Each structure stands twice: as structure tokens, then as C-alpha cells.
Amino acid sequence: MSKTVKDLTAGTVGGIAQVLVGQPFDIVKVRMQTSAKGTYSGMLHCAGGILKNEGPLAFYKGTLTPLMGIGLCVSIQFGALEYTKRFFAAQNAARGVGGEGGKTLTGSQLFTAGVAAGLANGFVSGPVEHIRIRLQTQSNTNPTWTGPWDAIKKIYTAHGVKALYKGQAVTFLREATGYGVYFLAYEKLVQREIARKGIRRDQISPVNAVLYGAAAGYALWAVIYPIDMIKSRMQTDGFTPATGQKYRSTLDCVRVVWRTEGFSAFTRGLGPTLIRSPFANGATFLGFEMAARVLDRL
């Protein structure tokens, strides 16, 4: 099995783990991000309303799309990340730097690898998250779409393929910025443990993989949360003025939200995100690292 196939397979395992752990928190985050000011007094009010009005299964509404899509997205992330890391390692080795095989990358190399992973991922994550957010925010009593395939078909038929990529510009900004920081944080923590203990990567404790993933997740959201909120607004906006379009562009969305709702709108829904982050991101890296170890033995 080639290294790329192993990376993609291990990334898929990490992505599935991320969705199963993080989805209930994500729907609360999206509802709070896209609701009018004052709709919810806080995270518990939002979660309680979903539970009372829609039932416990509502917390996994729209899960099929991310389960397949985010599995693919995380697969692409890790595939692009590891490919770029190998590229930089080869450069380092040729220059005689970076330790054995040039594998100890610099911070700028790790950040660049993360940006590449984010951009590669963005081509898939944009439409996947768009459909997921549409399903998460639609009415439970009078739904517009019966599921992800129905949403894709109706949106494509009515508005074309461009509509499926609604919010794509801000998605690329979020992915490039966020995953540059995300993978930089995780890999630096891994490098630190390897250097301090004199061990191989596959000897790092699974517990530490979870902890480092949790830390990387907090680094990610510290950088991208306001960008993510704008993405959610763009991806729940109407497609045309006739269908309730509020924002002409990403910058127009920023201006309108700032003028009408103030700074607090850019942090609305942060609570469930911060609670979700260590579990979802810890599960992602644990899934990837453990799957990679199994595949390396094949």
C-alpha cells in the first residue's frame, strides 16, 4: 500500500471519528450562529429547545452528509498534509538539515503544509458544509429538503452548480488560515515529545495524541471563529433577492452583521464550539494516528 493511500485511509478514519463525536455540538453552534439576535439566551437554551421541540435525533440532523463528506475532507487534509511534509523533508535532507531524513520540519514548513491541506480540503468541505448547514437550520415541521441528496438536487436544479459552492471564498479563507495553525500546533507538540523522550512517532501515547489534538483544535478556533460565523451566514442566506438574499458578498455580510448586530455576533455560538473542540479534534488525531500505525504494519 502506497504512503498516499495509507494517509488517505487513516484520514478517513479520523474524519468519521470527528463527525460522530462532534455533530451534536456542531448543530447547536450553527443554530446560534445563524439565528437572530436574542433568539437564544445561551448554549443550554439552544440545546434544550432542540431537544424539546425536535427530539434527541435532531442533534444528528444532517449527519449523513458530513459522515461521508467530512470523512472525505479529513482524508484529503491528511493526504495533502503528509504529501507536503514529505516534499519539505526531501528538501531538508538534500540540504542536510532537519535531522534524520529531514523530517523535523520548521514552523514555516509546517504552517505551509497545513495551508495546502486546508485549500485542498476546501474544494470538498465548501459544498459539504453548505448542504449540512441547510439541513441543520431548516424547519423541522415543514422541511424544505428531505435529506442531503434532495437538497443537492433541488439547489442545483433551481440555481446551478455555483449555488452548491455558496460561501466558497470565505470557506477557502477559513480552511487555509485555520489548518495552517491547526497542523502547526499539533506537529510542534509531537516534535517536542519525540525530541524530549527520544522516541518514534508511533510510540507516542494515544492519550497524548488526544491531548495534542485538543490543543490544536483550540488553536484552530481561536483564529477562525469569526470567519466561520460569516461562512455560516453566507451558507444560510438566500440564493437570490427573490429567495431572501441578505448579503451581496462576503464583505457585505461582514459589514451588515457588524452594523446591525455588533461584535457579539462574531462570537455567538462559541460556547458549544469550545466544548466540542477537544473531543472532536482529539478523536480526529487519535483516529488518524492509530489507523496509520495499523496500516504501517500491513
Side-chain angles (χ1 to χ4, degrees), residues 3-71:
K3 287 184 179 297
T4 299
V5 172
K6 288 180 181 179
D7 295 336
L8 293 171
T9 304
T12 301
V13 174
I16 292 171
Q18 180 185 113
V19 172
L20 293 177
V21 172
Q23 182 73 358
F25 299 100
D26 190 71
I27 192 171
V28 174
K29 179 203 75 170
V30 169
R31 292 286 182 93
M32 292 183 72
Q33 283 181 331
T34 58
S35 64
K37 187 175 183 179
T39 302
Y40 303 112
S41 60
M43 176 186 69
L44 294 179
H45 181 212
C46 178
I50 294 171
L51 181 64
K52 179 181 178 181
N53 299 322
E54 303 174 47
L57 293 180
F59 289 101
Y60 280 92
K61 183 183 290 186
T63 299
L64 180 61
T65 306
L67 196 60
M68 294 185 297
I70 300 301

Side-chain angles (χ1 to χ4, degrees), residues 88 118 149 158 160 173 212-213 225 238 294:
F88 284 132
W149 304 120
L173 176 62
Y212 298 160
Y225 194 80
V294 170

Side-chain angles (χ1 to χ4, degrees), residues 32-288:
M32 292 183 72
Q33 283 181 331
T34 58
S35 64
K37 187 175 183 179
T39 302
Y40 303 112
S41 60
M43 176 186 69
L44 294 179
H45 181 212
C46 178
I50 294 171
L51 181 64
K52 179 181 178 181
N53 299 322
E54 303 174 47
L57 293 180
F59 289 101
Y60 280 92
K61 183 183 290 186
T63 299
L64 180 61
T65 306
L67 196 60
M68 294 185 297
I70 300 301
L72 177 60
C73 288
V74 178
S75 173
I76 292 170
Q77 276 175 34
F78 280 102
L81 175 79
E82 296 298 323
Y83 180 87
T84 310
K85 283 168 58 182
R86 286 194 292 273
F87 171 79
F88 284 132
Q91 285 191 330
N92 289 348
R95 297 199 309 268
V97 298
E100 182 183 353
K103 293 180 181 179
T104 304
L105 305 188
T106 65
S108 61
Q109 288 174 329
L110 290 170
F111 180 79
T112 303
V115 170
L119 290 175
N121 165 61
F123 287 99
V124 179
S125 68
V128 165
E129 293 197 9
H130 178 206
I131 296 301
R132 174 174 66 170
I133 287 172
R134 294 284 179 187
L135 293 172
Q136 286 177 331
T137 56
Q138 70 174 339
S139 167
N140 191 55
T141 55
N142 186 29
T144 305
W145 304 289
T146 58
W149 304 120
D150 185 52
I152 291 169
K153 184 174 69 173
K154 287 179 178 176
I155 291 171
Y156 173 77
T157 300
H159 307 288
V161 70
K162 184 180 178 181
L164 296 174
Y165 282 87
K166 188 173 179 61
Q168 191 63 25
V170 71
T171 296
F172 278 134
L173 176 62
R174 186 194 72 163
E175 305 294 65
T177 306
Y179 286 109
V181 172
Y182 185 61
F183 288 115
L184 170 63
Y186 181 80
E187 293 293 335
K188 277 297 182 183
L189 288 168
V190 169
Q191 282 184 3
R192 176 176 172 272
E193 180 168 354
I194 290 173
R196 186 166 57 88
K197 295 182 179 179
I199 60 176
R200 301 188 310 272
R201 187 181 184 114
D202 61 6
Q203 294 176 311
I204 292 175
S205 161
V207 172
N208 284 347
V210 171
L211 293 175
Y212 298 160
Y218 278 130
L220 169 83
W221 287 108
V223 171
I224 69 163
Y225 194 80
I227 304 173
D228 185 70
M229 188 283 295
I230 293 298
K231 184 187 79 71
S232 293
R233 291 294 182 97
M234 291 294 294
Q235 292 184 329
T236 53
D237 195 24
F239 295 99
T240 64
T243 57
Q245 185 179 30
K246 300 176 185 176
Y247 314 115
R248 297 187 303 274
S249 66
T250 299
L251 288 177
D252 184 55
C253 180
V254 174
R255 286 193 291 264
V256 170
V257 172
W258 180 268
R259 185 178 68 249
T260 59
E261 301 178 54
F263 174 77
S264 64
F266 290 88
T267 59
R268 192 179 301 151
L270 184 58
T273 301
L274 294 179
I275 294 172
R276 169 189 181 272
S277 181
F279 300 104
N281 291 293
T284 301
F285 281 103
L286 177 65
F288 173 78

